[in-house]
Amino acid sequence: IRELERPITQLKLNGVMINSHTNGEYLDEEKYWPILEAAAGLDATVYIHPRAPSAAMRAPYRRYQLEHAIWGYAVEVGLHAVKLLMCGVLDKHPNLRIVIGHMGENIPYSLYRMDWMHGHFNFDRPKLKLTPGEYFRRNFAITTSGVNWLPALEFCIKVLGADNIMWA
């Protein structure tokens, strides 16, 4: 995709930032895979930036304004990332690198359960070569932004390895 080539090749930027959803759609939809293919081909990182949940998800969050940074942002980006873990795009592009913030948007704490559930209950998901946790450790990095809390950092270092954590 031309829109990625100039920033990466000419301006020497390292990647792109994409909202956690656009009109309620996510990068796991195959029509967006060319963006991910281009990023992988250019060795560019995709940062998924938080925003409030999509309109279809927002109603239950509104009562206490939970749709914002207090909870909704993490749920929204977490959903986006988990959809990418499960859709098969990381088998097609094993070098694709994705960054999410806020100490992994709660995903590091759920990897054990995702791996176990994925191994025991496939339902209607693509057959994957790796477990969700293996993809997460291989293809994702997290930042500490907004969660500067030592116990969470220690846990993420133990689960993901220090090389997958960026200080922010």
Side-chain angles (χ1 to χ4, degrees):
I1 290 184
R2 285 188 36 225
E3 289 82 4
L4 289 179
E5 289 177 5
R6 181 177 176 270
I8 304 304
T9 61
Q10 293 176 23
L11 300 178
K12 305 297 183 200
L13 299 176
N14 294 319
V16 297
M17 182 173 68
I18 297 177
N19 286 326
S20 60
H21 71 86
T22 301
N23 299 321
E25 295 183 341
Y26 301 87
L27 292 173
D28 68 298
E29 296 182 37
E30 289 191 29
K31 69 181 181 179
Y32 297 118
W33 286 19
I35 296 169
L36 301 175
E37 179 181 14
L42 293 165
D43 196 28
T45 299
V46 174
Y47 177 78
I48 301 175
H49 189 270
R51 66 187 302 185
S54 66
M57 291 176 58
R58 200 170 295 150
Y61 293 84
R62 286 229 164 111
R63 183 169 185 188
Y64 306 107
Q65 295 79 46
L66 300 177
E67 71 268 26
H68 302 292
I70 192 169
W71 187 250
Y73 289 7
V75 173
E76 177 62 27
V77 176
L79 172 66
H80 197 152
V82 171
K83 288 168 70 83
L84 288 170
L85 291 173
M86 299 297 184
C87 72
V89 73
L90 299 175
D91 285 333
K92 291 182 69 92
H93 305 291
N95 69 318
L96 180 63
R97 194 74 171 155
I98 301 167
V99 175
I100 58 176
H102 311 107
M103 213 63 82
E105 309 293 10
N106 298 320
I107 292 174
Y109 318 108
S110 299
L111 288 178
Y112 170 83
R113 182 177 173 85
M114 275 192 270
D115 286 351
W116 191 89
M117 295 297 284
H118 178 74
H120 289 84
F121 302 100
N122 193 23
F123 300 108
D124 188 23
R125 288 189 296 269
K127 178 79 172 138
L128 302 175
K129 295 178 182 176
L130 303 174
T131 67
E134 289 170 322
Y135 289 117
F136 197 79
R137 284 183 281 280
R138 183 186 77 184
N139 296 94
F140 281 77
I142 67 169
T143 75
T144 60
S145 59
V147 186
N148 298 314
W149 189 39
L150 184 58
L153 177 61
E154 291 171 334
F155 178 83
C156 288
I157 289 170
K158 186 174 183 177
V159 171
L160 305 176
D163 289 344
N164 286 335
I165 302 170
M166 302 167 67
W167 184 258

